[in-house]
Amino acid sequence: MLGDRFGEGAYVDIEFILSGCSKRRIEIRLLFMPPSVDPAAAETMHQMIGEEIASLFSIQVVSFYDRATEENPCADGNPFGKPAGGLDLHLHKLNYLYKTIVEMIFRVADTEKIELIFFGADNEKLQRVYDRYIKRYAEKMGFLFTTQGAYYAIRTQHYPDQ
């Protein structure tokens, strides 16, 4: 569990070993941060949710990256992109990866009683993937979500009643 570290941000590492082959290993770090750490996200979130955001106790901006970028940065300098020499994944493996990441974000939010989670897609293709999995897991877990372009504000079951 992430516990009290949420005030400053916290993370969860997820290790994927694809096709049972240790050479096809990816370690993803999910970052959970208060909106104050990401002012652009906070502004977009405020536009999407409105003034009621001020009454919330637990809001987390979520991001993730492949830990291999810490040692092998992306060619374009994007810390959230594919690391230099990173694995090329087939579509079904990418879908598995993103489906699992979305599910883990939702499970951490539920376990830690986070009221609102917020994150964005890096590109249009990823947005289509997120749309599908966010809808699936939101329905399954009783969460509500709002989208604005490539941004997602997800109200968990811990969101206060209106």
Side-chain angles (χ1 to χ4, degrees), residues 23-26 66 68-69 71-75 81-89:
K23 291 181 181 180
R24 294 186 53 80
R25 178 185 170 276
I26 299 173
D66 184 335
T69 61
E71 307 235 347
N72 301 313
C74 302
K82 179 181 166 189
L87 296 176
D88 290 324
L89 300 177

Side-chain angles (χ1 to χ4, degrees), residues 57-117:
F57 176 70
S58 180
I59 303 169
Q60 294 294 310
V61 175
V62 182
S63 188
F64 65 89
Y65 66 94
D66 184 335
R67 297 268 330 266
T69 61
E70 294 171 353
E71 307 235 347
N72 301 313
C74 302
D76 64 0
N78 176 5
F80 299 103
K82 179 181 166 189
L87 296 176
D88 290 324
L89 300 177
H90 294 287
L91 185 58
H92 70 282
K93 297 285 187 199
L94 282 172
N95 276 309
Y96 169 75
L97 187 79
Y98 287 117
K99 174 182 77 156
T100 304
I101 289 169
V102 169
E103 182 179 13
M104 290 299 298
I105 290 169
F106 278 41
R107 292 198 183 281
V108 168
D110 189 41
T111 301
E112 296 295 328
K113 298 181 177 21
I114 298 169
E115 297 166 335
L116 181 74
I117 50 179

Side-chain angles (χ1 to χ4, degrees), residues 13-75:
D13 289 337
I14 307 168
E15 182 180 47
F16 294 89
I17 298 177
L18 304 168
S19 303
C21 177
S22 62
K23 291 181 181 180
R24 294 186 53 80
R25 178 185 170 276
I26 299 173
E27 187 174 355
I28 300 294
R29 176 161 286 175
L30 295 179
L31 300 169
F32 293 82
M33 305 164 284
S36 60
V37 173
D38 188 341
E43 182 178 336
T44 303
M45 192 181 341
H46 190 271
Q47 291 170 358
M48 292 172 71
I49 303 299
E51 292 301 320
E52 70 187 66
I53 203 165
S55 66
L56 298 178
F57 176 70
S58 180
I59 303 169
Q60 294 294 310
V61 175
V62 182
S63 188
F64 65 89
Y65 66 94
D66 184 335
R67 297 268 330 266
T69 61
E70 294 171 353
E71 307 235 347
N72 301 313
C74 302

